[in-house]
Amino acid sequence: MNALDNFIFGIYPYICLSVFFIGSLIRFDRDQYTWKSDSSQLLRAGQLRWGSNLFHVGVLFLFFGHSLGMLTPHFLYEPFIGAGSKQLVAMISGGVAGLLGFGGVTILLHRRLGDERIRVNSRTSDIVLLVLLWLQLALGLATIPLSAQHLDGSMMVLLAEWAQRIVTFRGGAVELLDGASWVFKAHMFLGMSIFLVFPFTRLVHVWSGFATVGYVFRPYQVVRSRRALAARKPAPAAATSAAPHAPPKAVPAGSVAKSTGVAR
């Protein structure tokens, strides 16, 4: 391996992960008002529903699939499924999810660049992020034909071993990629680069999505309406003494005489 490969696959991953965690923490601490997805739905809702739903379904499946597939040691799943079968499952499920995500991000990118109103109100980071995601998904789909050339799962095992050695700080990770195609390497480089730019883009709202799991363990909140509270409120106590009687009105003498039948 040359010096460039040693840097990209031996040092660059730690730079990306450090910026990913520390940068996200600093942004949450200093710029919480920017901690959002910055939806452009108010500017134009067209294409957003299809693009956003397809993108999120595909990318979320790929994220969890890559995380479990790359970071799970081979000996844990070997008794249940072989490396070749696992690779075939990954190719089929990942291919479907990749197509969904690629179609969604294509719609979002076309919407962002093709609609003048949205383009004017877009930041540079929004467009750069969509381009990176588009390229990453395209490269991911391009790895499927290469994986089909060695269905024994040998390359998948080597890539997973590289990821596991990186996260556990073990040596010899770079040498595992000697026989990997440039497509795999470009896919890995762009994937790490997305972690690098993560804290500086709208992707930080992903942290908030994971944080919603805490609501499952949150105590219940009892909410009562004012009307219900008023109905349960006890009636005021009765007055302890009667109100004083009003003095009798003065009656003219003539009226008294008329009512009693006495002549004047």
Side-chain angles (χ1 to χ4, degrees):
M1 302 292 286
N2 54 39
L4 182 60
D5 287 333
N6 284 324
F7 173 78
I8 293 177
F9 302 107
I11 300 175
Y12 189 61
Y14 296 110
I15 297 176
C16 296
L17 289 176
S18 299
V19 174
F20 171 68
F21 288 112
I22 299 175
S24 297
L25 183 61
I26 293 175
R27 180 170 177 181
F28 181 77
D29 182 63
R30 298 175 61 90
D31 298 307
Q32 292 190 17
Y33 286 107
T34 67
W35 193 276
K36 54 186 178 178
S37 59
D38 286 334
S39 175
S40 58
Q41 183 176 1
L42 292 177
L43 297 177
R44 195 87 67 199
Q47 295 183 315
L48 180 61
R49 179 177 299 177
W50 275 104
S52 180
N53 289 337
L54 289 174
F55 170 74
H56 282 88
V57 169
V59 167
L60 287 176
F61 182 90
L62 291 172
F63 174 79
F64 288 108
H66 278 67
S67 300
L68 293 175
M70 297 284 284
L71 300 180
T72 302
H74 179 68
F75 68 87
L76 289 179
Y77 63 80
E78 189 176 17
F80 309 100
I81 184 173
S85 299
K86 180 188 175 184
Q87 176 173 303
L88 186 61
V89 172
M91 289 169 56
I92 297 174
S93 59
V96 173
L99 287 174
L100 293 177
F102 183 76
V105 77
T106 301
I107 294 174
L108 294 177
L109 185 59
H110 175 269
R111 176 178 178 271
R112 180 79 52 181
L113 297 177
D115 193 307
E116 183 178 358
R117 187 182 182 189
I118 298 177
R119 187 174 65 254
V120 170
N121 288 276
S122 298
R123 294 177 297 184
T124 303
S125 61
D126 297 333
I127 299 175
V128 170
L129 178 61
L130 285 176
V131 171
L132 284 177
L133 291 171
W134 190 90
L135 292 173
Q136 175 67 350
L137 288 168
L139 285 171
L141 292 172
T143 62
I144 296 179
L146 296 176
S147 299
Q149 297 177 7
H150 39 78
L151 293 176
D152 58 348
S154 56
M155 181 55 65
M156 180 195 65
V157 172
L158 290 177
L159 296 176
E161 182 65 21
W162 170 85
Q164 293 165 30
R165 292 194 182 192
I166 289 294
V167 298
T168 55
F169 302 97
R170 289 183 290 158
V174 181
E175 288 75 15
L176 295 172
L177 304 179
D178 278 338
S181 168
W182 70 269
V183 179
F184 286 107
K185 293 181 178 180
H187 184 58
M188 296 163 63
F189 172 75
L190 270 185
M192 293 184 288
S193 300
I194 291 174
F195 280 93
L196 181 69
V197 303
F198 183 98
F200 312 104
T201 65
R202 63 174 63 197
L203 281 178
V204 290
H205 76 281
V206 175
W207 284 117
S208 300
F210 289 135
T212 56
V213 178
Y215 282 93
V216 177
F217 307 100
R218 180 177 172 180
Y220 288 106
Q221 290 183 337
V222 180
V223 181
R224 297 185 178 94
S225 65
R226 294 182 179 179
R227 184 175 300 175
L229 291 175
R232 298 182 59 177
K233 187 176 181 180
T240 56
S241 59
H245 295 288
K249 295 181 180 180
V251 181
S255 301
V256 175
K258 185 181 294 184
S259 61
T260 56
V262 179
R264 295 183 65 181

